[in-house]
Amino acid sequence: MALEFYPVKVSHIKRLTDAAVAISFDIPEELKQVFAYLPGQYITIRLNINGQTVNRAYSLCSSPHSDNSLTIGVKQTEHGLVSTYINKHLQVGATVELMPPNGNFKVDINSNAITSYVLIAGGSGITPLLSITKSVLQQQYDAKILLIYGNRDTSSIMFFKDLELLKDTYSDRFTLIDILEYTDGDNKGILSLELLSTLLTDSFLSSCHYYLCGPQQVMNNAEAVLHAQNIESSYIHREYFTAPISQSNEQVSSIEPTDFTIHVKLYGKEYDIEVESQDSILEAGIKNNIDPPYACQIAACCTCRAKLRSGKVHMESREALTDDEIEEGYILTCQAHPLTSDVFVDYDG
Ligand SMILES: Cc1cc2nc3c(=O)[nH]c(=O)nc-3n(C[C@H](O)[C@H](O)[C@H](O)COP(=O)(O)OP(=O)(O)OC[C@H]3O[C@@H](n4cnc5c(N)ncnc54)[C@H](O)[C@@H]3O)c2cc1C
């Protein structure tokens, strides 16, 4: 079955910085299994703001191993509808709709194969990396972590105290390098190609996995430095909060747009829906009121993932899918346009 939304209460709100809050949810006992997650994964939240229903993805910053509640950290973006609402208006006791955790940006804490991690975060990109840091340090007793975290200044560091505490508690296995754009201290700068090249040369880094989450430029810089050091792509894991730069419309514009009627299976029901040439399969589902699951609509999350049972589609971007998922026939419906008349999309698959 496709993932569904469940009503969940906000149990705690903590201000992290002037522009960021941590929101915790108490998951009822009967839903604990449904909301189980791996460090690094995200949840999808559905809110009704001024009569408009909106879905957004937020990474879990809590650890499934040590935290009872599920917690997200939300940074207010300029003119951002949901992040502003969450920062300014959401209250303890409010009921929101949450879709269970999802996503391919995750660590398998039970694997002994990985013994060192380099995490590179910028701004709110710390959220999944905090979950990973806590979980790895608590569960993988031999594993080492280097976290490079870029921010404007000290006051804009989300989870400042939590990170300091982890640094003190696990001083032999956890190295934190804060890079601040505006500071008089030593670590002044931005996560540029030059700075990352300097920071990523330590011998500690051999045979480790790299997790990147932050602004586009930071992720691009980090990836370029890692590729220059011949780090295999399979060791580099990325989580985008905004549209990946690799996203390209070139291919879709070279394809003659056509209207198609496709077959869709969702929550056990089957539908024939019209997909107009300019729409993605997801947009067509929304227009046809079948309530398909989705969050980011930019290929950064995989909430709208479905299995293509027959026919052909074109995807503008596939960032959030793994190679295995592509191989198995999964598509991101927010990016997919039908190319043949026999398209059958199975969200429950
Ligand atoms: C997998 C995933 C995990 C995410 N996890 C987190 C998280 O842990 N914490 C968090 O704060 N956000 C996270 N995000 C981003 C989040 O989903 C929203 O996109 C963000 O809160 C903005 O939503 P909004 O409704 O406030 O802004 P919108 O009303 O959608 O957009 C308003 C304006 O802000 C710009 N904008 C949108 N998102 C961002 C952004 N992230 N940074 C800068 N500008 C932006 C848009 O271009 C637009 O101009 C995640 C996104 C994804 C895909």
Side-chain angles (χ1 to χ4, degrees):
M1 271 302 181
L3 293 175
E4 294 176 59
F5 283 102
Y6 297 85
V8 174
K9 270 196 169 35
V10 174
S11 59
H12 190 70
I13 298 180
K14 183 177 166 190
R15 181 138 297 278
L16 299 170
T17 70
D18 285 351
V21 284
I23 309 285
S24 299
F25 306 97
D26 269 346
I27 304 299
E29 206 50 47
E30 65 276 15
L31 291 180
K32 285 250 157 82
Q33 204 51 42
V34 178
F35 277 83
Y37 63 102
L38 291 172
Q41 290 193 303
Y42 70 88
I43 49 171
T44 303
I45 186 167
R46 171 175 280 184
L47 292 167
N48 191 291
I49 303 174
N50 302 329
Q52 190 187 344
T53 302
V54 279
N55 299 354
R56 294 288 184 274
Y58 289 102
S59 299
L60 290 159
C61 54
S62 46
S63 162
H65 303 282
S66 56
D67 297 318
N68 285 329
S69 309
L70 262 63
T71 302
I72 55 173
V74 179
K75 184 170 177 184
Q76 193 175 345
T77 59
E78 212 182 334
H79 311 302
L81 180 63
V82 173
S83 61
T84 301
Y85 180 85
I86 289 177
N87 266 270
K88 302 259 188 236
H89 304 294
L90 193 62
Q91 304 223 332
V92 171
T95 300
V96 301
E97 287 188 273
L98 291 188
M99 199 179 266
N102 203 347
N104 292 318
F105 188 76
K106 57 193 174 191
V107 294
D108 176 6
I109 230 71
N110 297 317
S111 157
N112 291 324
I114 310 174
T115 53
S116 55
Y117 299 81
V118 169
L119 315 177
I120 300 171
S124 58
I126 188 64
T127 49
L129 301 184
L130 179 62
S131 177
I132 291 174
T133 301
K134 283 198 274 187
S135 307
V136 166
L137 291 173
Q138 288 158 0
Q139 301 295 312
Q140 288 186 289
Y141 305 120
D142 295 330
K144 286 186 171 181
I145 296 185
L146 167 63
L147 169 61
I148 300 170
Y149 186 18
N151 277 288
R152 286 174 63 79
D153 51 35
T154 318
S155 69
S156 59
I157 300 179
M158 289 167 76
F159 304 106
F160 181 80
K161 284 188 183 150
D162 304 65
L163 291 167
E164 288 297 310
L165 184 63
L166 286 168
K167 204 170 73 172
D168 292 345
T169 313
Y170 299 97
S171 54
D172 53 335
R173 297 195 286 129
F174 179 44
T175 308
L176 170 64
I177 301 179
D178 278 312
I179 300 297
L180 301 175
E181 203 174 339
Y182 300 101
T183 181
D184 295 331
D186 291 340
N187 292 339
K188 185 176 168 66
I190 52 168
L191 294 174
S192 61
L193 275 174
E194 296 72 25
L195 184 56
L196 284 166
S197 306
T198 317
L199 295 172
L200 293 172
T201 50
D202 202 304
S203 55
F204 167 75
L205 308 180
S206 58
S207 75
C208 76
H209 277 243
Y210 299 82
Y211 286 78
L212 321 178
C213 188
Q216 292 271 331
Q217 197 55 55
V218 169
M219 291 176 65
N220 289 353
N221 290 347
E223 231 182 321
V225 170
L226 295 175
H227 284 313
Q229 295 183 359
N230 298 319
I231 306 291
E232 272 180 47
S233 296
S234 59
Y235 286 71
I236 305 173
H237 312 268
R238 300 171 304 208
E239 186 76 310
Y240 286 95
F241 285 0
T242 52
I245 273 170
S246 59
Q247 187 163 316
S248 149
N249 290 327
E250 279 168 30
Q251 265 178 296
V252 79
S253 56
S254 67
I255 289 166
E256 196 60 41
T258 320
D259 296 354
F260 281 107
T261 299
I262 66 163
H263 196 66
V264 176
K265 186 171 176 207
L266 175 63
Y267 302 128
K269 291 189 182 157
E270 299 201 22
Y271 310 86
D272 286 316
I273 62 166
E274 173 90 1
V275 185
E276 290 176 34
S277 55
Q278 74 279 6
D279 288 340
S280 66
I281 289 175
L282 174 69
E283 285 165 328
I286 295 170
K287 276 189 184 171
N288 281 270
N289 295 318
I290 64 170
D291 197 19
Y294 71 91
C296 73
Q297 296 186 264
I298 52 169
C301 77
C302 49
T303 306
C304 69
R305 174 180 49 200
K307 195 152 193 171
L308 186 65
R309 296 281 179 204
S310 67
K312 283 194 176 152
V313 301
H314 168 74
M315 268 195 286
E316 293 172 44
S317 174
R318 44 142 293 181
E319 175 61 36
L321 291 179
T322 63
D323 291 343
D324 286 347
E325 286 172 322
I326 297 274
E327 189 80 3
E328 287 166 32
Y330 285 99
I331 59 170
L332 293 174
T333 55
C334 74
Q335 301 296 309
H337 299 262
L339 294 178
T340 57
S341 55
D342 57 345
V343 166
F344 175 12
V345 171
D346 183 357
Y347 281 96
D348 296 344

